[in-house]
Amino acid sequence: MTGGIGVIISAWMPRADAEGWIQALENHFGERKNMGSLFRPITAEERKLFQGIIDSLFARFADTVAEEGSFPAKR
């Protein structure tokens, strides 16, 4: 799912340490624009928001399929 207005720039940058790991850099403009970023752990607030979106999408899907008679409306 995509949508919204905002800007996000992501980049992988080599770090100059002995291990030679790669560092992720991310800048963004727009509230919650970087939700679900692979570059940092998800916050409790983001997890709650994502679960709400998932629950809403499943409810819409189940209701649509139930209207066609091929899925029970009870969840």
Side-chain angles (χ1 to χ4, degrees):
M1 178 186 304
T2 56
I5 296 173
V7 177
I8 189 165
I9 297 173
S10 302
W12 294 98
M13 303 295 290
R15 285 191 342 204
D17 63 8
E19 297 174 0
W21 291 99
I22 295 176
Q23 178 181 12
L25 302 175
E26 184 174 78
N27 292 320
H28 69 280
F29 178 82
E31 187 179 3
R32 299 188 183 108
K33 182 50 64 179
N34 70 338
M35 268 182 49
S37 171
L38 299 175
F39 300 145
R40 61 173 180 75
I42 191 170
T43 68
E45 178 187 5
E46 290 170 342
R47 185 175 301 282
K48 186 176 178 179
L49 288 167
F50 279 131
Q51 190 61 55
I53 292 167
I54 291 167
D55 293 347
S56 175
L57 290 172
F58 177 77
R60 288 175 53 192
F61 169 77
D63 290 345
T64 300
V65 176
E67 288 174 8
E68 301 299 320
S70 58
F71 188 78
K74 186 177 178 181
R75 296 185 268 296

